[in-house]
Amino acid sequence: HYPLRRQRQMCKETDRFELVLAATYRARQLVQGHAARVDAKDKATVVALREIAAGVTDRDMLTKVPL
């Protein structure tokens, strides 16, 4: 696995705020029992960032957040 800094550089996300929102929302989903989309045995926040770096999760998921 790449170090977390390297993953952030590889991310397609350009806005840090949107990156944080997407990672936070995805991490909460993981804690609630959703399946990880990448092979990782890390904490939910790290897995969420790895998913974003891999391109399997992105900021478009934020449009589906219930209000």
Side-chain angles (χ1 to χ4, degrees):
H1 294 284
Y2 290 103
L4 209 46
R5 280 189 209 138
R6 176 81 174 130
Q7 285 185 351
R8 190 169 151 251
Q9 291 171 353
M10 292 169 42
C11 276
K12 296 175 185 149
E13 302 290 334
T14 56
D15 185 0
R16 288 184 192 177
F17 183 70
E18 288 182 354
L19 173 64
V20 169
L21 284 178
T24 301
Y25 183 70
R26 181 62 184 145
R28 287 180 183 163
Q29 286 182 329
L30 292 167
V31 168
Q32 292 173 355
H34 290 252
R37 299 175 184 158
V38 294
D39 189 29
K41 300 287 183 198
D42 297 306
K43 292 184 178 183
T45 51
V46 176
V47 173
L49 289 170
R50 290 187 195 280
E51 288 181 353
I52 293 168
V56 296
T57 299
D58 59 12
R59 68 177 179 239
D60 291 339
M61 68 179 289
L62 294 174
T63 60
K64 301 173 187 173
V65 175
L67 298 175

